[in-house]
Amino acid sequence: MAFLCFYVTHPNAETAQKISRNLIDRKLVACANQFSMESAYWWQGAVAQEGEIVTILKTVTKNKKAVEVAITELHPYEVPCIMSWEVQANASYENWIQDATVVQDPV
């Protein structure tokens, strides 16, 4: 049984924590990992470089759209980075993700 990992960037730790906690409280995701990084990217015709926070969120595949919708509604960026991919892990970890989430329809 596979599950999804989402990779999401945030402007600061407070925003990352707020979004992660919202998704966990709603049982849309089982887990959120957070770490800081330095980003360089094109924005509005110029190269920007600044610190960001990344979260890796883990959930069941059926929650893909609901997680995307929730992040988009809560995120302050005009164009948030919301990437996801299907992964596999050891059976006990996959079972924990299944048990820790509730499949939800997107709002």
Side-chain angles (χ1 to χ4, degrees):
M1 152 187 44
F3 63 97
L4 293 178
C5 280
F6 278 85
Y7 172 98
V8 182
T9 59
H10 309 272
N12 53 52
E14 294 76 26
T15 300
Q17 290 167 358
K18 175 186 152 195
I19 292 172
S20 296
R21 186 57 192 255
N22 182 286
L23 298 172
I24 290 169
D25 287 348
R26 294 168 55 191
K27 293 193 165 225
L28 278 169
V29 302
C31 176
N33 305 114
Q34 178 178 315
F35 55 96
S36 60
M37 67 169 191
E38 187 72 20
S39 297
Y41 53 92
W42 280 99
W43 183 247
Q44 298 180 342
V47 174
Q49 187 164 351
E50 60 192 357
E52 288 187 297
I53 302 296
V54 171
T55 53
I56 297 176
L57 309 163
K58 295 140 195 163
T59 190
V60 293
T61 57
K62 290 182 180 180
N63 276 352
K64 181 176 182 176
K65 186 64 178 172
V67 170
E68 289 173 353
V69 168
I71 293 169
T72 300
E73 289 175 352
L74 296 166
H75 209 287
Y77 284 170
E78 183 179 336
V79 181
C81 171
I82 306 170
M83 300 186 317
S84 66
W85 62 95
E86 192 172 287
V87 298
Q88 295 180 329
N90 55 304
S92 60
Y93 191 76
E94 289 184 2
N95 289 334
W96 172 76
I97 290 172
Q98 182 74 35
D99 292 343
T101 57
V102 175
V103 174
Q104 298 179 31
D105 292 324
V107 179

